[in-house]
Amino acid sequence: MSICLDIAVQTPAHSQVGGLLSYRSAQALPAGQLVRVPLGQREVLGVVWAVRDAMPHDIPASAMREVLGALDNLSPLDEAWRQLVQFSAQYYQRSLGEVALSALPPQLRDLSSLQLARRLKKQNSQRSVQTSPGPVLTPEQTAVLAQMAQGTGPFLLFGSTGSGKTEVYLQAVERMLADDPQAQALIMVPEINLTPQLEQRVQARFGSDAVVSMHSGMTAAQRLKSWLAAHAGHARIVLGTRMAVFASMPHLQLIVVDEEHDPSYKQQEGARYSARDLAVYRGRLHGATVLLASATPSLESWHHSRPPDADGPGGRYQRLLMPSRMGTGQLPKVRRVDMNKQPRRTVLSAPLVAAIQARVERGEQCMLLLNRRGYAPVLHCADCGWKSACPHCSAFRVFHKIDRSLRCHHCGLSERVPRACPDCGNADIAPVGRGTEQLEEHLGGLLGHVLRPDGRPVRIARIDADTTRAKGALESQLAQVHAGEVDILVGTQMIAKGHDFRRITLVAAVNPDTALFSSDFRAPERLFALLMQAAGRAGRDASHSASSEMWVQTFHPTHPLFEALKQHDYPAFAANELAERTAADLPPISHQALLRADARTQEAAQALLNAARAALEAQLAADTASADWALQVRIYPAVPMSLQRVADVERAQMLLESPSRMALQKVLWHLHGVLHQVRHQPEHKGVIRWLVDVDPQAI
Ligand code: ADP
Ligand code: ZN
Ligand code: ZN
C-alpha cells in the first residue's frame, strides 16, 4: 500500500504547475519533510508539500515515481515556513519549487544522508546565551520599548543615526530570550560585509554560541551549519542579509529589519522578493513582533505608519520615535555651496578645499562622496564628436587611468585606451566628467603639500568597487581608516553606509545633483537617505561632534531636498515627497509591477510585451467576472528600458499600476497564463527571456 505525496522540487522559473510533482511513498511522511526524489535522470532534494488522501485517478500508480528516501534526521519544515514560501511564490510570480528550494542552503542538496548525519552530530546542541549587560537605557529608549511591549506592531522605529536604535532592538532581543528559553530572533541587515561591527556587537552581547550569521559571503559549509542550528532551534539569534528571511526558525518571536529603507533588501534576480515586506508577512504567520528601523525610512514604511488624521485612518504600522542623538553627539551642520557662483568647471570649491585642509591640519578625518567610479565616465574627441560608447551596450565605457583602460560597467568589456580617435585619428581625445579616481588625483594636486599635526604628509585613500575587488580588500582598507592612517577618504556610496568612523568630522557630497532630475522617481528618496547616512558618519565621536560638518556642492541650493537636509528633517522631506507621489499616483499610493522582456532586437522585445497586453485585455474583457478589478489596473504600452541594451541584449518593459494591490495581483495572475501562450507563438521566437518584477525598486 503506498500513498501519494505532492512534493516541491526545483523547477524552471515560470512553470505554472506551481512546482509540485506527485510521487508515491510506502512510508507516511508529514508535510515539510525533506526527501530525495528522482527527477528525470537525477536524484534531487524535495520538500513534501501535501499528503493526498487517496491515489489520484488520472495517473496510474505504476506511472508515478517513488520517493527515494527521507532526510529523517531533520525535523519537517514548519507550517509557517511553508506558508511564507507559498506566499512568496504567488506574490512574486515564481514557481513554488523554485522559491522553496532556493530558500534552503545549497549543500543540503548535495549531501548524502550519511554525510548529513555526521554534520548533525557535530552540532553542539547546548548553545547557551551569555548575555553581557547593556548600558542603562535613556528615557527615550525606555519609552520605545514600553510601547513595543504594549502594541502588536509591526513597528517602525524612526530615529536619527546614533540615537540608540540598535541598542533598543538588542534590548528587545535580550528580554525575549530571557522570557522564553526557546525563543528565536531574526536580525536582518542590508550588507553584513559592510558592517562587521554589528556582527561583533551582537556576539559580544549574547555570546558567539547563540548567534549564527547568514549571508552570501559565507562558504556553503558555513551556511549549512548556520541553517541547521537555526532549524534545530539551537541558534537563538540569526543575523543575516535578505536571504535570512527564509531561515527555518521554529521558535521565531522577533524580527528586526535594520536600515529598512536599504534597496538591497530587494532581491534582483530569480524571485524578486522584498525581504522587508516578507519580514512583515512572516511576523504575522509566526505571531512574532516585527521591528523596522531607520533614520530615513522608505516612503512605503513611513506611509504605512502614518498617524490617523482628518484625511483618514492611520496606517497599519505603529511609528516609534527617537529624536535625540546619543550623549552630546550633535548632528553636523549642513553647508551648501552654490556652484553657480564658483568658477566654471570647478570640481572642489575653494571654501571646501580650505575646510578640508584645516581639518587635516588638526588631525581630523574627511570623507568625500562621488557616486561614479573610474577616472572619467566618457572619453571624447572634440574634432569629430566620437565618444567611448560600448559596442554592446547603450552606455559609455568608463576611462580608468590606472591601467589606461576603457571599461564598460555593464557588460565588462575592457580595452586599452586608443592612442588616437578611432574615427578621425585626432590624437587629442579627452576625458569628460569626473569619477572617484580623478577626484583622488585632483585632491592630491590641491592638498598634497598639507601636513598633519605629527608633521607627516596628508594621506588620501579611495574606496570603491575598483579598489575592493580582491577578497578582504574592503576590510583592510576600512581598518586603515579606523586606525587613523587615512586623512581624506574618497569613495562611492559604499563608504557612506553604517561604518562607525569615529574621527570623521567633515563629509562632502561632491556632485549629488544628478539624482534630483533622474527619470527614476525614487532617486531623490535614495539621495536623501544617502546624504543623511553620510551626515550621520560625521561627528560620531562626541569630542569632535560640535564642529562637524556636511558639505553639499550643488547648482540647486534652494531645492527642498537640500533644505530638509540642512534641518536634518526627514519628516519634512517625506511629506514633500509623498505629496508629489500622491499627485502623480506613484507608490506608495499606488502599486506597480514591471513585465520585462529581453530579445535580440528591441522590436522583438516590445512585440512580446504588447502582444501579451493585447491578449490579456481581450481575456479580461471577455470575462465579466473580472470587470471590477480589471478596471483598476492600468497597463502601459511597452517601452525600452532606460538602459536599453546590455551585452547585445535589447531590453523592454511594460508597467502595470493600480491603487489596489489585490487587483494588480489578479491581473498579474492572468498575465502569467497569457504569457505562456504568447511566448510560444512563432513570431516571438526572438525573445530570450521574460520576467515579472512586483514592487520594482527601479523603473
Ligand atoms: P543607532 O543604531 O541609532 O545608530 P546605536 O544604538 O548604535 O544607535 O547607539 C549609538 C551609540 O550610543 C553606540 O555607541 C551605543 O553603544 C551608544 N548607546 C546606545 N544606547 C546607549 C545608552 N542607553 N547609554 C549609553 N550609550 C548608549
Ligand atoms: Zn575624432
Ligand atoms: Zn558594455
Side-chain angles (χ1 to χ4, degrees):
M1 204 29 215
S2 59
I3 54 163
C4 173
L5 302 173
D6 289 333
I7 295 179
V9 294
Q10 182 80 50
T11 41
H14 301 299
S15 62
Q16 235 196 343
V17 275
L20 292 181
L21 297 178
S22 298
Y23 287 89
R24 263 184 310 134
S25 168
Q27 204 188 344
L29 294 170
Q33 180 66 55
L34 288 162
V35 291
R36 293 198 182 284
V37 293
L39 183 70
Q41 300 300 312
R42 294 175 306 143
E43 178 188 327
V44 299
L45 181 71
V47 183
V48 175
W49 218 259
V51 185
R52 300 247 196 139
D53 293 337
M55 294 302 280
H57 303 298
D58 47 342
I59 320 168
S62 57
M64 210 183 279
R65 302 181 80 178
E66 181 145 4
V67 172
L68 298 171
L71 281 67
D72 40 21
N73 35 21
L74 281 184
S75 54
L77 292 153
D78 62 20
E79 186 171 354
W81 186 89
R82 283 178 278 131
Q83 283 183 13
L84 175 71
V85 165
Q86 186 134 9
F87 171 80
S88 309
Q90 213 166 10
Y91 187 81
Y92 294 106
Q93 306 273 315
R94 306 295 287 199
S95 80
L96 180 55
E98 182 198 11
V99 177
L101 274 293
S102 57
L104 297 171
Q107 264 204 347
L108 215 44
R109 277 176 241 162
D110 311 331
L111 292 185
S112 70
S113 301
L114 193 65
Q115 288 169 313
L116 188 62
R118 271 196 222 118
R119 296 294 163 89
L120 284 166
K121 220 185 228 152
K122 269 197 281 180
Q123 294 265 328
N124 56 331
S125 52
Q126 251 45 43
R127 286 188 171 234
S128 55
V129 184
Q130 280 154 349
T131 310
S132 324
V136 178
L137 294 182
T138 64
E140 257 179 28
Q141 289 172 322
T142 308
V144 158
L145 280 163
Q147 279 177 284
M148 277 181 73
Q150 279 154 19
T152 52
F155 300 98
L156 173 67
L157 176 56
F158 166 59
S160 57
T161 43
S163 63
K165 296 185 296 299
T166 308
E167 194 50 48
V168 163
Y169 69 70
L170 292 181
Q171 291 272 351
V173 170
E174 184 179 331
R175 290 179 189 187
M176 183 205 68
L177 295 183
D179 284 353
D180 179 340
Q182 287 202 305
Q184 292 178 296
L186 170 61
I187 301 175
M188 288 203 285
V189 292
E191 285 153 276
I192 281 195
N193 54 345
L194 290 186
T195 49
Q197 290 152 350
L198 181 67
E199 207 170 355
Q200 288 159 14
R201 191 164 160 190
V202 175
Q203 287 184 353
R205 189 64 166 273
F206 299 103
S208 51
D209 251 11
V211 187
V212 297
S213 297
M214 264 185 212
H215 56 87
S216 57
M218 294 161 63
T219 65
Q222 290 169 328
R223 265 172 75 178
L224 178 66
K225 195 164 171 235
S226 293
W227 189 89
L228 290 173
H231 177 68
H234 300 154
R236 305 291 300 284
I237 300 171
V238 172
L239 178 61
T241 51
R242 60 172 182 264
M243 66 163 69
V245 76
F246 289 111
S248 168
M249 299 179 71
H251 306 290
L252 183 60
Q253 288 194 15
L254 175 65
I255 308 178
V256 176
V257 184
D258 201 1
E259 310 289 0
E260 67 88 33
H261 63 279
D262 198 289
S264 71
Y265 282 118
K266 183 89 199 280
Q267 166 81 16
Q268 293 297 359
E269 55 192 43
R272 299 184 160 222
Y273 62 85
S274 156
R276 175 193 66 219
D277 296 350
L278 287 183
V280 172
Y281 185 83
R282 188 170 188 185
R284 234 179 13 227
L285 291 173
H286 286 262
T289 305
V290 176
L291 179 70
L292 314 177
S294 176
T296 51
S298 63
L299 286 176
E300 279 78 6
S301 299
W302 190 247
H303 181 65
H304 288 322
S305 65
R306 69 195 177 279
D309 64 10
D311 293 337
R316 55 202 167 84
Y317 298 178
Q318 192 179 339
R319 200 181 280 174
L320 309 171
L321 305 175
M322 297 226 303
S324 323
R325 222 178 185 195
M326 217 19 87
T328 50
Q330 288 166 22
L331 285 167
K333 181 175 165 51
V334 175
R335 312 192 57 157
R336 289 163 291 182
V337 180
D338 185 349
M339 295 304 275
N340 298 296
K341 297 183 181 144
Q342 297 293 320
R344 273 195 71 217
R345 304 179 60 88
T346 298
V347 183
L348 294 171
S349 58
L352 175 57
V353 174
I356 295 172
Q357 173 164 357
R359 305 255 161 190
V360 171
E361 286 170 346
R362 290 209 298 267
E364 299 172 21
Q365 292 174 303
C366 301
M367 181 166 106
L368 272 66
L369 288 170
L370 180 63
N371 223 356
R372 232 176 208 172
R373 62 194 170 87
Y375 191 83
V378 55
L379 281 188
H380 178 237
C381 166
D383 276 6
C384 76
W386 173 86
K387 283 181 173 166
S388 55
C390 174
H392 306 293
C393 306
S394 46
F396 293 116
R397 281 175 298 163
V398 175
F399 173 42
H400 290 257
K401 194 172 180 182
I402 188 160
D403 56 359
R404 296 205 62 78
S405 67
L406 278 180
R407 284 188 228 156
C408 175
H409 290 180
H410 303 285
C411 72
L413 177 73
S414 179
E415 277 174 359
R416 276 190 68 80
V417 171
R419 276 175 213 289
C421 171
D423 281 2
C424 74
N426 170 19
D428 195 20
I429 44 178
V432 181
R434 246 151 248 107
T436 44
E437 196 187 347
Q438 189 176 165
L439 184 61
E440 182 188 13
E441 181 186 277
H442 187 65
L443 270 167
L446 288 171
L447 294 169
H449 62 281
V450 174
L451 301 179
R452 306 160 16 131
D454 61 8
R456 293 161 64 189
V458 60
R459 273 168 301 187
I460 302 169
R462 169 166 61 96
I463 296 184
D464 57 28
D466 293 317
T467 68
T468 54
R469 206 150 282 157
K471 196 165 168 55
L474 177 62
E475 289 75 7
S476 71
Q477 288 170 25
L478 290 174
Q480 284 179 7
V481 182
H482 283 292
E485 285 166 31
V486 170
D487 305 300
I488 308 175
L489 177 62
V490 176
T492 52
Q493 56 175 351
M494 199 183 244
I495 56 175
K497 288 185 190 175
H499 309 292
D500 200 351
F501 298 128
R502 313 290 325 180
R503 283 173 50 235
I504 287 190
T505 60
L506 183 150
V507 177
V510 174
N511 178 18
D513 282 350
T514 43
L516 298 178
F517 308 100
S518 164
S519 60
D520 184 344
F521 67 87
R522 282 195 178 83
E525 181 183 351
R526 297 256 161 79
L527 175 64
F528 190 78
L530 177 71
L531 295 180
M532 288 282 278
Q533 286 282 325
R537 297 304 106 219
R540 287 182 73 95
D541 190 337
S543 61
H544 291 300
S545 71
S547 66
S548 68
E549 289 175 344
M550 162 102 209
W551 287 62
V552 176
Q553 298 195 137
T554 173
F555 288 94
H556 307 275
T558 58
H559 193 286
L561 189 150
F562 296 132
E563 293 284 353
L565 180 71
K566 181 158 181 65
Q567 309 299 329
H568 301 283
D569 193 348
Y570 170 80
F573 167 77
N576 188 53
E577 202 62 23
L578 273 174
E580 284 183 19
R581 302 265 187 104
T582 308
D585 260 340
L586 289 167
I589 311 306
S590 71
H591 305 279
Q592 295 182 327
L594 274 183
L595 175 62
R596 243 187 70 185
D598 293 354
R600 286 288 162 223
T601 66
Q602 183 61 221
E603 294 70 35
Q606 290 191 22
L608 177 80
L609 301 182
N610 287 327
R613 176 174 182 237
L616 174 67
E617 282 174 346
Q619 191 182 93
L620 293 176
D623 178 5
T624 47
S626 71
D628 281 354
W629 47 264
L631 281 175
Q632 294 182 49
V633 181
R634 244 172 107 175
I635 310 174
Y636 292 84
V639 292
M641 287 183 65
S642 58
L643 187 60
Q644 178 177 333
R645 191 166 50 104
V646 172
D648 291 320
V649 171
E650 288 283 340
R651 303 150 14 123
Q653 67 182 31
M654 188 172 96
L655 178 66
L656 294 88
E657 205 172 65
S658 175
S660 158
R661 201 186 276 281
M662 192 72 87
L664 182 60
Q665 279 285 313
K666 285 186 180 165
V667 166
L668 286 176
W669 193 84
H670 281 265
L671 179 62
H672 204 107
V674 159
L675 267 161
H676 277 277
Q677 296 159 17
V678 176
R679 172 76 175 89
H680 294 292
Q681 291 164 357
E683 62 265 40
H684 298 301
K685 271 208 316 280
V687 172
I688 299 165
R689 67 179 84 82
W690 60 269
L691 63 91
V692 178
D693 190 350
V694 183
D695 305 327
Q697 283 300 294
I699 298 283

